[in-house]
Amino acid sequence: MEERKFSPSVAYLGPEATFTHVAASLLFEKSGLLPHPTIPDCIEAVVSGKVAYAVVPLENALEGSVPLTIDYMVQGEDLFINAEISTPIEQHLMVNQKQKDNIDELKSIQSHPHALAQCHKYLIYQFRKIPLIQTTSTSAAAKYISDNPDEKIAAVGNRLAAEKYGLHIVEENIHDFHYNHTRFVVLSLRKGVLEKKNHSETKKTTLMVKLPEGDRSGGLHQILSVFAWRKLNLSKIESRPLKTGLGNYFFIIDVQETEDHPMMIGAMEELASLNCIVRSFGSYFTYGQLPTRP
Ligand SMILES: O=C(O)C(=O)Cc1ccccc1
């Protein structure tokens, strides 16, 4: 018997048929899924308690992090990651059915900035002089060309968007690199683990670490050694500006261990004793299709 999915209210980056929508559908019942136009809207919906969860893109294998997500996660003081979903990303070029014989006359190509970047080489070589217009999501671009059949505009997005908005696929799989996966996170005000079938074998923990004020040599090395001598494996470390002045950063660190493991407790205590500010977004499982090495 198929396991029932969760059916709480869940904000996702919409409109319908974004990659985020596809990811959210892997964990939650369709009836609870509520499209929101931007990533900040999704995060605000969960922070204000309007929804129980938000599903937003966090990081793409080709383009790196989605800065909006990281910055809003850090601002929302009580936010936790309850799960991660990883999905392969295939980008297709699509137009309104009415424009399918006018590809040579295209005036612009629209999509989410990450989607345009993932197809950069293809778009530059095939459509050299055509402006690329950024939209809030891939399906927002698809919906726009569906609603405006007379405009000579193409969109980049997934197959579900082409089907949902009745569009013609001009060319399939236009992303420049085959190894194209995106990580999405399930955010909530509750520190908790979404636990259901087919989760990853182990959990990981996401930490935010702020170094003490004032420049000093070896600060980052000191942080890394806290994890290194405890043999805590890091799967990601990234710096983001603190927005308090040039050169001030915080770090987002993913550790392949749960936060209640004695070594993790020790690591967080040691970071605090080094005057770092440490915040845990919680420990969680990964779902979906994990990337295989190219
Ligand atoms: O715009 C979408 O469809 C999203 O869900 C964001 C996104 C864009 C490009 C790759 C992966 C996710």
Side-chain angles (χ1 to χ4, degrees), residues 138-205:
T138 55
S139 67
K143 184 171 185 318
Y144 181 88
I145 61 171
S146 171
D147 293 344
N148 296 276
D150 293 324
E151 293 194 28
K152 293 189 166 44
I153 300 177
V156 175
N158 62 33
R159 188 173 305 281
L160 184 66
E163 284 165 11
K164 164 89 195 148
Y165 299 107
L167 304 175
H168 167 73
I169 295 190
V170 179
E171 186 138 10
E172 292 182 341
N173 297 320
I174 61 165
H175 44 286
D176 297 329
F177 296 91
H178 168 69
Y179 185 70
N180 191 11
H181 273 75
T182 292
R183 290 171 66 197
F184 301 85
V185 279
V186 179
L187 299 174
S188 131
L189 286 178
R190 227 172 38 88
K191 186 174 241 182
V193 182
L194 277 188
E195 186 158 1
K196 49 177 277 143
K197 257 196 199 162
N198 300 327
H199 61 65
S200 52
E201 269 175 34
T202 54
K203 285 183 210 153
K204 67 178 162 192
T205 303

Side-chain angles (χ1 to χ4, degrees), residues 13 17-21 57 60 89 91 112 114-115 118 136-139 158 182 184:
L13 174 65
T18 53
F19 288 99
T20 312
H21 189 194
N60 178 264
I89 301 292
Q91 303 285 9
H112 185 277
H114 268 210
Q118 287 160 16
T136 47
S137 70
T138 55
S139 67
N158 62 33
T182 292
F184 301 85

